[in-house]
Amino acid sequence: MKILSVPTTPFAGQRPGTSGLRKKVTVFQQPNYLENFVQALFDVLPDKAGQTLVLGGDGRFHNRVAVQTILRMAAANGFGKVLVGRGALMSTPAVSAVIRKHGAYGGIVLSASHNPGGPDGDFGIKYNIGNGGPAPEAVTEAIYARTGTLSAYLTLEGAPEVDLETPGAGTLGGMQVEVIDSVLDYAELMQSLFDFDAMRAWFARGHRMRFDAMCAAAGPYAHAVLEGLLGAPAGTVVNGVPLEDFGGHHPDPNPAHATELIAAMEAADAPDFGAASDGDADRNMILGRRFVVTPSDSLAVMAAHATRVPGYRAGLAGIARSMPTSCAADAVAKALGVPCFETPTGWKFFGNLLDAGKVTLCGEESYGTGSTHVREKDGLWAVLYWLNLLAVTGESVEQLVRSHWARFGRHYYSRHDWEGVPVERADALMAALREQLPALAGRTLAPGLVLSQADDFAYTDPVDGSVSARQGVRLIFEGGSRIVLRLSGTGTEGATLRVYLERYEADPARHDLPAQDALADLIRVADEVARIRELSGLERPAVIT
């Protein structure tokens, strides 16, 4: 097969966001659009000749077409081998696990995570480096710079499509292609971390759970581990077959979108434990009977009980959380005598801390939790962690969380997403807010809400010294309450303004307020200070979690 150089012209706007390049499917279907981005990626990767690349995606529409395109381009660009997921499917945490287990050069993940799928939905692509984690900003900026100067891309002329359904090795041009079942590697890793005997016994005692895979990538992994290795009853995993449109679901594991699971956990015959994952299986939602656990509380509870889990029995080196995530994990870190690092949003910021051995657990408020076992957040891993805790403590989800609040206090928490804000309006809103910051500190913005700090968060990486500025506006009040405002980089239409609200309550007698009631003063202050309704042109947030 002949290597073909195909002339092309640059596309504007191919800058990767916090989790790669995400656009509508129709954008990626434009001739040369995907090819340009992939060639730009390959052009900035040093010493790639003969190296091994991992490739897979979450199974959404256009995934299979994109995988065949990338295989031809990888062969033309000199890679020696590609490990590709069976059926073109590989969850994001599994990509990380496979890179690390096989010592691969890096990997390409085809996913738009929790965004909708289907022909009218979203598509995405991101690159993971040799540690298994998302490419750092230096790499993504180099890719973006190259997309603006590209004049041709390389592919194989007349190359046949690779059979992606049958595991095994073949060749494409001079490159080896091995179709793998990544479920096997992932399940092996999970067995090295958790007490499978205790979890089997939990199910054997008659306990029940419901795992909603949301017709997305987590399904095959959950079927294999929960219903296979752990002996959970058939039907424990629902929506477990990955579909190109996620069955019409919005594959985002939060109370706004996982409504089927919420209803099942509120029913009279609700199972003991409920959980869900997202499109590419890297996020998780944890529920008990009529009880929803916030992601911030989930990270804190996991950290507080780490030594009960075999893979973490030696204790934690430290904890990391994204800046908008609540300070619940900070309280645990203080009690354990370990550091808690506050990073910008984006899993790539945890990679240096994990590689340097500074942290063991990390998490984000957007339903992502992870550890040293991979360099991505990992939905099913977090679910197994909680299942391990239920099995060894004999407590329910609600009991574990309430005991945690009694010891550390409750961090009431919510996120309000103002979606589809015109970009120019969103930018103007944030600019106006930043202009106010010097005059805000020390002001009383509502009864009991005295502002002690107002800043635009900047992060200096303690490992490599790199600086990330303008990562979100923080309004921090005396007593621990916080408001954080930032623009999200994961949407595909307009801008999403995210408003994060946190209030600390030490008194156990006040731990049962509805979250939106407990945060009402902060919600009002956020709107007044940032003039959200006025400047966004919207009347209310699209999603409240």
Side-chain angles (χ1 to χ4, degrees), residues 15-356:
R15 169 174 264 140
T18 53
S19 295
L21 179 67
R22 293 182 184 173
K23 302 288 183 180
K24 289 295 182 183
V25 168
T26 50
V27 174
F28 272 97
Q29 287 177 320
Q30 296 176 90
N32 297 355
Y33 189 89
L34 173 67
E35 289 88 341
N36 275 25
F37 186 81
V38 172
Q39 189 62 56
L41 163 64
F42 289 163
D43 283 352
V44 304
L45 296 180
D47 305 320
K48 60 183 176 291
Q51 297 283 1
T52 296
L53 185 72
V54 177
L55 174 62
D58 61 14
R60 67 179 56 233
F61 187 84
H62 200 55
N63 188 67
R64 288 174 177 270
V65 172
V67 162
Q68 296 287 356
T69 296
I70 294 168
L71 285 171
R72 293 190 293 270
M73 292 186 66
N77 278 273
F79 281 92
K81 182 177 183 179
V82 174
L83 299 172
V84 60
R86 182 179 183 180
L89 189 77
M90 199 181 304
S91 75
T92 292
V95 169
S96 184
V98 170
I99 290 172
R100 293 171 65 80
K101 177 178 178 178
H102 296 276
Y105 178 84
I108 292 176
V109 185
L110 300 173
S111 173
S113 187
H114 54 295
N115 293 6
D120 299 319
D122 298 336
F123 192 76
I125 177 172
K126 73 170 183 174
Y127 180 68
N128 283 26
I129 59 176
N131 73 346
E137 195 167 311
V139 175
T140 57
E141 283 301 299
I143 296 169
Y144 175 60
R146 181 62 179 137
T147 65
T149 62
L150 202 67
S151 60
Y153 67 84
L154 301 180
T155 188
L156 290 185
E157 184 178 26
E161 289 203 345
V162 174
D163 175 10
L164 298 173
E165 302 306 320
T166 307
T171 58
L172 185 65
M175 182 182 76
Q176 185 178 4
V177 178
E178 184 175 353
V179 178
I180 66 170
D181 185 351
S182 64
V183 172
L184 301 177
D185 284 343
Y186 183 83
E188 178 184 46
L189 179 58
M190 295 303 103
Q191 290 178 88
S192 73
L193 298 172
F194 299 112
D195 189 340
F196 272 50
D197 289 337
M199 292 188 284
R200 288 189 196 98
W202 188 82
F203 283 115
R205 291 195 297 272
H207 289 292
R208 295 178 299 127
M209 77 170 288
R210 181 184 179 97
F211 180 87
D212 192 339
M214 305 188 90
C215 300
Y221 300 87
H223 276 299
V225 175
L226 294 173
E227 296 183 1
L229 295 172
L230 293 178
T236 294
V237 178
V238 300
N239 297 317
V241 177
L243 301 175
E244 289 190 336
D245 65 349
F246 305 122
H249 295 289
H250 190 150
D252 194 354
N254 63 52
H257 295 299
T259 53
E260 290 181 15
L261 179 60
I262 294 287
M265 295 305 297
E266 291 180 348
D269 61 345
D272 304 279
F273 180 35
S277 191
D278 71 326
D280 62 336
D282 65 352
R283 299 177 187 233
N284 72 93
M285 180 170 69
I286 302 297
L287 305 96
R289 287 178 176 164
R290 293 170 290 281
F291 193 88
V292 180
V293 183
T294 71
S296 298
D297 279 349
S298 180
L299 172 63
V301 171
M302 293 167 71
H305 292 277
T307 56
R308 296 177 182 268
V309 179
Y312 308 92
R313 199 156 278 157
L316 305 180
I319 307 168
R321 62 166 178 84
S322 65
M323 180 270 290
T325 303
S326 93
C327 298
D330 301 54
V332 175
K334 182 178 180 180
L336 296 177
V338 300
C340 187
F341 295 88
E342 183 179 42
T343 75
T345 295
W347 208 260
K348 58 190 176 186
F349 292 102
F350 294 139
N352 277 359
L353 298 172
L354 291 164
D355 286 348

Side-chain angles (χ1 to χ4, degrees), residues 528-545:
E528 292 173 353
V529 171
R531 298 157 57 200
I532 297 173
R533 284 173 171 79
E534 174 189 348
L535 297 180
S536 72
L538 303 177
E539 284 300 315
R540 62 188 61 84
V543 179
I544 294 176
T545 54

